[in-house]
Amino acid sequence: MVANEIAKTGKEMLYLNIGDPPLYDFIPPKHLIEATYEAMKQNHNGYGPSTGTKEALGAIEKDAELKGIKNINDIFVTTGASEAIDICLTALVNDGENVPNPSPGYPMYSAIESKLMSIANPYYLDESNGWQPDIEDIKSKVNDKTRAIIILNPHNPTGSIISAEHSGNNRYR
């Protein structure tokens, strides 16, 4: 692997292919660890409903409504963001269609595009401007075969947050 050979030279490597929360000092809160432990002691660690528990679905719906989202048709819960993205893109995109997505970007998007026989359609993030999306570049990528636009906030792998100026919304500060 090329990365391993470069790392052997002593050059600093920034691995952008996978997130690993413990490597970045994320420690789950004590109350979450204790609640998980107690649930496991009571044998509440089996599979839940594939669409999500009533409590989780209710909390998600309530949160969405608090944010002004009123037209909720359905809610489903996934085991992670990657699964959700795969399900959504698979439902939206057909052979020969496209989904503009950020570059640099998370490699999973190109893998899903390949699986769906979608046309690659990257838009570029401006490194000199804190990795902010280039709105004009995004607009130029939209055509009659575009089915969605992937916008990551915070962005993976750069870690950038879309500024209020770029989002048109102050809640992204």
Side-chain angles (χ1 to χ4, degrees), residues 6 47 53 58-59 69-70 91 103 109 118 135 146-147 149 160 167:
I6 294 171
Y47 290 117
T53 64
I69 302 170
K70 304 287 185 196
S103 179
Y109 300 119
S118 169
I135 304 303
T146 301
R147 295 301 171 249
I149 300 173
S160 64
S167 72

Side-chain angles (χ1 to χ4, degrees), residues 62-98:
K62 182 178 178 181
D63 184 61
E65 288 174 351
L66 288 172
K67 292 175 179 171
I69 302 170
K70 304 287 185 196
N71 59 344
I72 300 169
N73 293 323
D74 197 6
I75 298 170
F76 68 97
V77 177
T78 64
T79 56
S82 295
E83 180 186 24
I85 292 162
D86 191 6
I87 290 169
C88 291
L89 291 179
T90 300
L92 292 171
V93 181
N94 296 306
D95 185 355
E97 296 175 337
N98 71 80

Side-chain angles (χ1 to χ4, degrees), residues 28-151:
K30 184 178 178 182
H31 71 277
L32 182 61
I33 294 170
E34 290 171 358
T36 302
Y37 175 65
E38 288 303 317
M40 292 175 77
K41 285 190 342 189
Q42 296 172 27
N43 201 30
H44 295 299
N45 57 343
Y47 290 117
S50 59
T51 56
T53 64
K54 288 181 183 181
E55 296 84 1
L57 296 170
I60 292 166
E61 184 170 21
K62 182 178 178 181
D63 184 61
E65 288 174 351
L66 288 172
K67 292 175 179 171
I69 302 170
K70 304 287 185 196
N71 59 344
I72 300 169
N73 293 323
D74 197 6
I75 298 170
F76 68 97
V77 177
T78 64
T79 56
S82 295
E83 180 186 24
I85 292 162
D86 191 6
I87 290 169
C88 291
L89 291 179
T90 300
L92 292 171
V93 181
N94 296 306
D95 185 355
E97 296 175 337
N98 71 80
V99 177
N101 59 77
S103 179
Y106 188 58
M108 181 189 65
Y109 300 119
S110 57
I112 294 171
E113 286 177 335
S114 180
K115 174 185 87 164
L116 299 174
M117 299 175 67
S118 169
I119 307 299
N121 193 7
Y123 65 84
Y124 298 95
L125 302 178
D126 184 358
E127 181 178 9
S128 67
N129 188 23
W131 298 105
Q132 292 300 301
D134 182 334
I135 304 303
E136 293 307 313
D137 187 38
I138 295 172
K139 288 179 182 178
S140 76
K141 303 301 168 94
V142 176
N143 58 50
D144 64 337
K145 297 282 188 181
T146 301
R147 295 301 171 249
I149 300 173
I150 296 172
I151 299 173

